[in-house]
Amino acid sequence: MSTTPPRRTTIIEPFKIKVVEPLAFRTPDQREENLRRAGYNLFLVPAEEVTFDFLTDSGTTAMSAAQWGAMMIADESYAGSRSFARFERVVKDVTGFSYVIPTHQGRAAERLLFSVLLQPGMKVPSNNHFDTTRANIEQLGCEAVDLVVAEGRDPRNRAPFKGNLDLERLDRFCTEHRERIPFGMATITNNTGGGQPVSLENLRGASAIYRKHGIPFFLDACRFAENSYFVKLREPGQSERSAREIARDTFALADGCLMSAKKDGLVNIGGFIALREDRWLDRLRSQLILTEGFPTYGGLAARDLEALAVGLEEVLDERYLEYRLATARYLAEGLEAIGIPTMQPPGGHAVYIDAKALLPHIPPHEFPGQALVCELYRRDGIRTCEIGSAMFGKTVDGVFRGAAMELVRLAIPRRSYTQSHFDYILEGLTDLAPKRESIRGMKLVFEPPYLRHFTARFAPV
Ligand code: F0G
């Protein structure tokens, strides 16, 4: 008689490794010198001086043998390439949408769609708009409006779907501003809100509200597979369904999607717009030709389209998704266990350390998040990104106004680091919380007029 083996508790990397890249190890003195030279801004530290790079999960995926293999047989024809046909088939199959417009990355898709649909003075609601989405909307003289649920703004609230839209506010907002809303959005998972998922039920509600008001609905779908697996794990009635079915149900609620394929496309470059109807198609394609390229490659090489066609299938593998969500959870639990507070529950692609809670002795105008970013690099060559007062703080009439939260993001590249890397990092951070008092704040010594976090320079206080 056969019996089902007990379920294992160890979740493994569901792959073996064929190509490797050595980690760069530097001495503490070299790292201190790198920090000094970079003005204590990790964006300005050369990548080859970084041991563990958690700056972003975007475009940093390790590709599979199947993806590299597909790239070798790509058809690089300018028009009507076989590789485009394959890519288009997969996108249609995964999303259920009928029309596919390739772009070189997510923000190109944003610029293209928004330039066709927006006129100055319009408003676009979402849970939270990502930075580039917001910037592309504002650049056209329009307003990007965030309507995420209240629990999504509280780092210690453990609600399962903190990326949800506040449906009551959404309905009210649509009623009040109907004439000025050319389309509505939802970001899955909600990156700006911590990579938090949005439930299928909430998306159904948002879709119904948008439909009731006659407003087209677009998903910012760059982490759609991670969102689908969260739905499977957390939403009542979804546990027996496949991530693929859940993804199909998700896309079925929208009129189209914007995709940065650098995340759940499992590729290093790529993106697309997909649409249910051909309503805006001709205008989008004309614009596409102007700046991205012919509609069958849109700013990409055919080999990129091949890699993406394979990646969109691989990302829906449930062993992969189980492992993927377990990595962020493992790292967050490990940090909590050594007294480093994180945003809870962890999102899909990143862990956010609450620097305000960890370093209460550093006031916002001395940038606790930036101080922690430097400390993580100093200790073990770990590169992270501050999302706090260094990014958003402002001095108005001589008074410093800090950001709402002081977060440090560890975004996890896909299929690149293993559990022992995390164990090593956690071991190295064991005495961080006990020695927190020794971490000093930072002061700004140079600040550019826009997007200052990329090029600002700091010095220790
Ligand atoms: N939408 C979301 C939700 C994103 O997270 C990003 C990029 C984009 C759109 C833009 O896509 O980079 O391909 O142009 N997020 C990266 C990050 C940069 O680090 O979170 P892109």
Side-chain angles (χ1 to χ4, degrees), residues 56 105-107 110 130 132 191 220 222-223 260 263 409:
T56 180
Q105 64 182 83
R107 68 199 71 184
E110 290 165 357
F130 180 67
T132 59
N191 184 9
D220 176 341
C222 58
R223 298 179 181 87
S260 166
K263 286 81 167 168
R409 182 178 88 163

Side-chain angles (χ1 to χ4, degrees), residues 146-169:
D146 291 341
L147 297 174
V148 73
V149 287
E151 55 264 34
R153 285 175 269 129
D154 172 4
R156 304 304 288 176
N157 187 315
R158 296 199 54 101
F161 290 104
K162 290 167 72 172
N164 281 357
L165 286 112
D166 184 331
L167 296 181
E168 246 169 68
R169 283 173 69 207

Side-chain angles (χ1 to χ4, degrees), residues 31 60 216 239 257 284 359 362 400:
R31 290 196 292 260
T60 51
S239 64
C257 74
L284 287 169
L359 305 173
I362 303 181
F400 185 82

Side-chain angles (χ1 to χ4, degrees), residues 7 15 83 87 128 137 161 172 203 209 218 320 398 450:
R7 190 156 165 66
F15 46 79
S83 300
F87 155 78
N128 285 118
I137 291 171
F161 290 104
R172 227 177 311 129
L203 289 170
I209 291 169
F218 290 98
Y320 162 76
Y450 304 108

Side-chain angles (χ1 to χ4, degrees), residues 8 30 76 111 118 190 223 243 275 314 320 347 440:
R8 302 278 178 98
Q30 285 170 329
E76 299 290 352
R111 201 198 60 80
L118 290 179
N190 191 25
R223 298 179 181 87
L275 301 169
E314 287 181 353
Y320 162 76
R440 288 181 297 158

